[in-house]
Amino acid sequence: MSEQAYKRRGVPLVVSAPSGAGKTTLCHKLIDSLGDVSFSVSYTTRPLRGKEQDGVDYYFVSENTFEQLVAEDAFLEWAHVHGHRYGTHRRTTEDLLAAGKDVLFDIDIQGGEQIASALDDAALLFILPPNKKVLEERLRGRSSDSEEQIVRRLEAAQNEVKAAAFYHYWLINGHLDDALDEMRALLLAERLKRASKKALQDAFFMQEGD
Ligand code: 5GP
């Protein structure tokens, strides 16, 4: 089958989840396990944390720079999250998608809503922990957050779960490997949806004379 038959625009895949659902781990594993998937590196005004690297995890920018980018309409979407601003660069995203790269957006629900209206071919995935109790255990286990922060995150999680009804796919992250399999299946199916049927027909009939 000719390569042309598979030439396609990349899949814009939005992944959102309450904090503690395992979203970041799943996103990185998905990128490692499938080719042609790029992580959308957002711009943020929040300070760099721990082992994060500028240009890899985020582009860490000042309030002024962010403001200027907003004024230039450089963002496909942007939002205030936990007191800081985060945004997705429009041009970079469009270039990757046009080059046939799937783009994975690790963004919040406000961003998901904006991407859904900006790109009609976006696939929206919401990742859930199995239940509130498991989420609470994960939040307590992983961080040095104060009791007050944990309570706030749990409340935020409940609101997000209620507000995410417009996401196309919901996936429960109980066992990492199972959740990863489901995420791969989703992305592979979205890729198939986008293969040009016309190009596939042409390639099929061309082979007759080969
Ligand atoms: P963190 O600061 O912990 O890395 O991320 C905080 C939240 O901001 C997470 O829910 C993350 O998904 C979200 N986020 C990261 N980048 C963007 C972005 O470009 N746009 C939006 N709307 N949310 C983002």
Side-chain angles (χ1 to χ4, degrees):
M1 189 71 62
S2 86
E3 294 229 326
Q4 187 60 30
Y6 293 107
K7 203 158 170 43
R8 60 176 178 92
R9 181 178 143 87
V11 179
L13 175 59
V14 172
V15 185
S16 303
S19 98
K23 169 181 64 166
T24 309
T25 310
L26 276 167
C27 285
H28 286 119
K29 282 189 177 291
L30 182 73
I31 289 170
D32 290 345
S33 76
L34 283 178
D36 281 340
V37 190
S38 296
F39 184 75
S40 166
V41 181
S42 296
Y43 285 69
T44 184
T45 58
R46 89 147 158 75
L48 192 145
R49 269 193 317 236
K51 291 188 184 148
E52 287 177 336
Q53 286 177 272
D54 188 32
V56 176
D57 300 281
Y58 285 103
Y59 294 105
F60 295 93
V61 296
S62 65
E63 287 286 349
N64 277 346
T65 304
F66 198 97
E67 194 50 55
Q68 200 178 326
L69 289 164
V70 172
E72 288 166 10
D73 198 26
F75 291 126
L76 186 58
E77 65 77 34
W78 71 270
H80 288 275
V81 189
H82 310 315
H84 298 288
R85 294 199 280 178
Y86 296 78
T88 303
H89 199 262
R90 183 191 303 279
R91 181 67 175 279
T92 313
T93 307
E94 280 304 343
D95 288 351
L96 286 167
L97 292 170
K101 299 267 183 213
D102 301 329
V103 180
L104 216 156
F105 306 91
D106 174 344
I107 61 177
D108 82 332
I109 293 184
Q110 307 171 72
E113 204 166 1
Q114 293 176 57
I115 297 241
S117 41
L119 308 175
D120 15 310
D121 59 345
L124 308 178
L125 166 67
F126 190 73
I127 300 177
L128 279 169
N131 53 52
K132 266 173 30 183
K133 189 162 167 287
V134 171
L135 179 64
E136 187 168 348
E137 282 164 11
R138 286 187 192 166
L139 286 175
R140 287 187 193 287
R142 72 161 194 184
S143 73
S144 49
D145 285 351
S146 66
E147 182 60 28
E148 193 193 331
Q149 280 169 321
I150 291 174
V151 170
R152 216 178 315 133
R153 282 185 198 275
L154 282 170
E155 273 171 23
Q158 293 183 61
N159 292 333
E160 281 166 318
V161 172
K162 276 189 211 146
F166 65 96
Y167 275 62
H168 306 126
Y169 299 93
W170 283 43
L171 183 162
I172 294 172
N173 182 15
H175 297 282
L176 197 65
D177 288 344
D178 294 343
L180 182 63
D181 280 348
E182 289 180 348
M183 222 168 147
R184 282 171 55 99
L186 178 176
L187 184 54
L188 292 173
E190 288 286 335
R191 282 184 182 178
L192 286 179
K193 258 196 208 167
R194 285 158 173 80
S196 153
K197 292 182 188 96
K198 172 77 175 63
L200 287 165
Q201 282 169 333
D202 291 349
F204 175 80
F205 287 114
M206 256 172 52
Q207 278 183 346
E208 242 178 358
D210 289 351

